[in-house]
Amino acid sequence: MRRIAVCPGSFDPVTLGHLDIIQRASKLFDKVIVLISVNAAKTPSFSATERMLMIQSVTENLDNVVIDILDGLLADYVRDVGAIAIVKGLRAVSDFEYEFQMALANKKLYAGAETVFLTTSAENMYLSSSVVKQIASFGGDISHFVPAEILTDIQDRLVKE
């Protein structure tokens, strides 16, 4: 039996913190599906396809990682792909309250998967896509926050002229 995990998020854009969680999850599971969630309530800076291509480029060395896009219920997707876990990264206690609520809801919708929380590495505790977007919009250096392979793509989109 293959142990499949789903690592959902908006990844707008993918950061070194995201990549750290993805890499660590890839060591724990036979297959990790990085799932780009489409949220109609949000206006992303990058299309779902652009985010998928960015994540593919920074995870190409991880043979057991695949990328997919979801516009629907996470619990349904997890069940449909036969995953046993939902992997979420936690930066701080403030993340836990929301993620705990989501974990309980997902468990109620599909009891066949557990939510696994991975704590962020200390150097990424403050890091989020929102922080990256804000710094980049003012022309700040985001090279310490995002993978080098996609730095130029992110800067080209987010830096104000």
Side-chain angles (χ1 to χ4, degrees):
M1 176 176 162
R2 292 188 63 195
R3 295 169 303 142
I4 300 170
V6 175
C7 187
S10 59
F11 305 103
D12 185 43
V14 64
T15 68
L16 291 174
H18 293 131
L19 187 56
D20 176 52
I21 297 296
I22 294 165
Q23 289 170 333
R24 289 165 50 205
S26 75
K27 294 174 184 172
L28 298 172
F29 297 95
D30 299 318
K31 179 179 180 181
V32 174
I33 302 169
V34 178
L35 189 62
I36 299 162
S37 300
V38 176
N39 184 341
K42 291 185 179 182
T43 304
S45 298
F46 298 91
S47 72
T49 301
E50 288 172 322
R51 288 178 271 163
M52 181 177 74
L53 293 172
M54 284 192 280
I55 297 168
Q56 284 174 338
S57 76
V58 301
T59 61
E60 65 185 3
N61 64 321
L62 301 173
D63 295 334
N64 64 333
V65 172
V66 297
I67 321 306
D68 201 359
I69 298 170
L70 173 68
D71 187 5
L73 280 176
L74 175 60
D76 291 343
Y77 182 92
V78 170
R79 179 183 50 247
D80 292 347
V81 298
I84 63 165
I86 299 166
V87 175
K88 297 294 293 186
L90 294 178
R91 293 173 298 216
V93 173
S94 57
D95 286 344
F96 180 76
E97 185 174 351
Y98 172 77
E99 295 298 349
F100 185 65
Q101 288 176 327
M102 294 306 297
L104 292 174
N106 285 322
K107 190 68 171 173
K108 192 73 161 172
L109 293 170
Y110 176 57
E114 297 293 335
T115 298
V116 175
F117 296 113
L118 296 179
T119 56
T120 187
S121 301
E123 63 268 17
N124 296 320
M125 285 185 67
Y126 61 90
L127 188 54
S128 69
S129 295
S130 298
V131 167
V132 168
K133 289 191 276 191
Q134 184 174 18
I135 293 169
S137 73
F138 290 105
D141 180 10
I142 59 168
S143 63
H144 300 288
F145 309 135
V146 300
E149 301 92 328
I150 60 173
L151 175 62
T152 303
D153 295 330
I154 295 169
Q155 288 172 323
D156 289 348
R157 175 67 52 87
L158 299 178
V159 175
K160 292 179 184 176
E161 296 293 329

